[in-house]
Amino acid sequence: MMQPLVSIGVGQAGVQQTDALWQLMCAEHGVGECGLLDAGEQCGGDVRQRLFQRTRVDRLVPHCVLVDTDADAIDALRRGPRRDLYHPARLLHGVDGRDGSSTFAAAQTVGRARVLHTLDTVRLLLEQCDAPCAGLLLARASGGGTGAGLGSLLLQSCADDEFGDSVPLIDLCTVPSERLGDAVTAPYNAVFAACDSMAHAAACVLFENEAMYRCCTDALHVRSPDYAQLNQVWAHVVSSVTAPFRFDKTATAHLGNACRALTKPFRNFLVPHFAPLLPRRQIEHERLLPVDLTRHIFDARCSQTSADVLRGRSTIGAWLIYRGISEDDTRSTSAALADALSAFPSLAGEPTLRYSHVEQVSCGVAGGVVAPAPRSLCALTNSSASARILRAQLRKFDRLLSKRAFLHWYEAEGIELADFVEARNIVYQSVQ
Ligand SMILES: Nc1nc2c(ncn2[C@@H]2O[C@H](COP(=O)(O)OP(=O)(O)OP(=O)(O)O)[C@@H](O)[C@H]2O)c(=O)[nH]1
Ligand SMILES: [Mg+2]
């Protein structure tokens, strides 16, 4: 029995990021943009069952549900190149013209109806797969009302619902950036979202748009990157994290277990790094040996957040996912790898180090900013350095709350000052 992976995109960012992920995963599994297998590809009891359902007419339909409180992002998908890929009944949006209005609270009110519909859709999808779900990936931006509000309702309901503990939830959360323009209420939304993530997700992988923007400009030499390009960087990280489960028919371990091994209560935030991020014309000139990738993986240019794990006081664990090399290849270089890792002060001590090896490399997407490489490495790290990201949100949250700014919008939807204080204190504790 092959356990399926299911992804849910919430809010504009979540929907667009998830679309970029499926574009990449389809390319990696030889599935065309309308769900038909590329010429020469065979589909019979293979690993694609983890990701797709096969229809009567041999079309592959992704295990994916996309939901927003307003129609724009979903409508854009319906007009886009993958309009025939997604199951129409799994593209959900509000119809009343009222979106999440950029507040966590409004999205929770508007989202109550949406969340039931979304849960039913996910439940139906899971019932159609004949094995228990290996992991539920929830993509969202926590600065947005919908990403935070509806995203949190979904996490909460998935954890409370009959899916229970058996379905590990991985929150793929893009937090508001220091300098990029976000809604005025973004710090409130982000702190409420972080609080719910700690309570309900097996792990929360943090991303920052500013850092992904820098990956595009500094590492990939894109002059003024747009969301689509940021989402390609995001998709490469998430595709690597899922790769050990996507390409191995025999993998039975849950994606959630892999993440849980890296987390502790109140410390479930992980930061990602990905290498190589190099301009297309440069990539052929690089050796990209496992040891080179390992040595440079924690460089700022490979990071999708502002957390500097090399300066973090402590690291609970790191999961290194190598693609394009077999376990035998790494064994031969294991001394060099150990050497490279021990050079990082924050990894000294006894952090859990976990390695995965996937022989299949990513072919990338046609014309994408992330060039295909013969080998790649992705790391998810649970480091005290991630506290910096949450502390920045808390600072802005405190500044707004001290003036009681925009509080009336939340109170109107039933979220009181006491709820603000409680959420703030829970997140604050986690960064001490
Ligand atoms: N990386 C990335 N960020 C995005 C994308 N679209 C929007 N954002 C950012 O995500 C944050 C939240 O915005 P949205 O996702 O539009 O908000 P929402 O979840 O739809 O919530 P509403 O406030 O109800 O519209 C903002 O900082 C946006 O700049 C995207 O495709 N990729
Ligand atoms: Mg929106």
Side-chain angles (χ1 to χ4, degrees):
M1 281 205 304
M2 252 179 286
Q3 296 181 282
L5 286 169
V6 174
S7 80
I8 308 182
V10 185
Q12 179 185 302
V15 165
Q16 290 172 174
Q17 287 172 327
T18 304
D19 178 47
L21 176 64
W22 282 98
Q23 181 186 15
L24 180 58
M25 293 201 298
C26 281
E28 290 184 7
H29 288 278
V31 176
E33 295 206 303
C34 55
L36 294 172
L37 278 180
D38 293 343
E41 294 279 348
Q42 302 281 322
C43 177
D46 74 354
V47 285
R48 295 187 191 91
Q49 286 175 12
R50 284 196 195 282
L51 297 173
F52 301 93
Q53 281 162 332
R54 195 170 172 195
T55 68
R56 249 173 329 107
V57 287
D58 273 350
R59 195 181 274 276
L60 296 176
V61 182
H63 295 153
C64 163
V65 177
L66 299 169
V67 55
D68 203 348
T69 44
D70 68 87
D72 295 354
I74 302 268
D75 273 350
L77 278 197
R78 288 197 183 111
R79 289 190 303 269
R82 281 167 295 288
R83 60 185 170 270
D84 295 325
L85 180 67
Y86 300 107
H87 195 307
R90 297 184 194 150
L91 300 179
L92 314 173
H93 61 75
V95 285
D96 50 9
R98 188 184 168 201
D99 69 5
S101 311
S102 297
T103 79
F104 175 86
Q108 289 222 320
T109 311
V110 179
R112 282 211 191 264
R114 259 350 52 247
V115 88
L116 292 178
H117 193 177
T118 312
L119 286 173
D120 282 344
T121 311
V122 174
R123 192 175 302 116
L124 193 65
L125 193 163
L126 290 178
E127 280 167 13
Q128 289 167 3
C129 307
D130 9 272
C133 180
L136 226 155
L137 306 168
L138 183 123
R140 57 168 174 169
S142 64
T146 304
L150 181 54
S152 286
L153 272 180
L154 276 169
L155 279 181
Q156 215 172 310
S157 315
C158 287
D160 293 347
D161 203 63
E162 67 246 42
F163 311 152
D165 249 8
S166 60
V167 179
L169 308 168
I170 316 293
D171 184 8
L172 304 166
C173 184
T174 303
V175 298
S177 296
E178 293 268 357
R179 281 186 291 270
L180 288 185
D182 261 298
V184 283
T185 50
Y188 286 157
N189 298 339
V191 169
F192 279 118
C195 181
D196 282 316
S197 194
M198 280 192 283
H200 305 297
C204 175
V205 187
L206 299 172
F207 295 85
E208 286 178 293
N209 273 345
E210 204 171 309
M212 291 192 282
Y213 191 92
R214 219 184 32 235
C215 289
C216 288
T217 52
D218 300 4
L220 299 172
H221 299 179
V222 180
R223 220 174 270 152
S224 27
D226 53 21
Y227 281 145
Q229 289 163 325
L230 265 56
N231 294 349
Q232 285 173 22
V233 173
W234 182 95
H236 271 81
V237 171
V238 181
S239 124
S240 293
V241 171
T242 57
F245 305 91
R246 287 191 290 124
F247 289 102
D248 183 356
K249 252 194 224 181
T250 58
T252 51
H254 274 181
L255 176 59
N257 291 348
C259 290
R260 275 195 204 112
L262 301 177
T263 60
K264 286 184 183 171
F266 284 97
R267 291 284 304 272
N268 74 334
F269 295 103
L270 307 177
V271 289
H273 289 80
F274 182 88
L277 288 175
L278 292 168
R280 219 164 255 274
R281 60 182 177 283
Q282 192 179 328
I283 219 144
E284 298 152 16
H285 300 273
E286 300 288 341
R287 289 193 312 164
L288 302 174
L289 297 178
V291 66
D292 298 330
L293 292 170
T294 311
R295 200 163 276 146
H296 295 290
I297 188 68
F298 296 114
D299 289 357
R301 59 190 281 125
C302 299
S303 177
Q304 286 72 51
T305 71
S306 55
D308 183 353
V309 301
L310 299 186
R311 287 170 194 260
R313 267 179 294 113
S314 65
T315 300
I316 293 178
W319 178 22
L320 290 104
I321 304 149
Y322 292 88
R323 296 185 68 175
I325 53 171
S326 68
E327 207 161 342
D328 292 342
D329 289 336
T330 35
R331 235 176 261 133
S332 64
T333 53
S334 62
L337 287 176
D339 198 38
L341 287 170
S342 68
F344 304 138
S346 78
L347 286 177
E350 294 293 320
T352 312
L353 287 181
R354 211 187 151 99
Y355 303 93
S356 293
H357 304 91
V358 183
E359 284 188 37
Q360 291 83 351
V361 284
S362 178
C363 54
V365 296
V369 280
V370 182
R375 278 175 283 278
S376 71
L377 171 58
C378 174
L380 286 189
T381 312
N382 189 337
S383 159
S384 56
S386 67
R388 172 202 158 101
I389 303 168
L390 297 166
R391 268 195 222 110
Q393 304 306 322
L394 283 170
R395 263 197 308 276
K396 290 190 262 177
F397 179 101
D398 287 348
R399 225 177 290 139
L400 288 180
L401 195 61
S402 67
K403 296 184 231 146
R404 304 287 185 264
F406 317 114
L407 206 63
H408 56 287
W409 288 343
Y410 290 74
E411 284 170 339
E413 310 281 351
I415 295 193
E416 306 290 334
L417 181 60
D419 300 317
F420 279 77
V421 175
E422 191 188 348
R424 188 243 178 237
N425 288 345
I426 290 173
V427 179
Y428 181 76
Q429 263 183 45
S430 79
V431 297
Q432 292 314 299

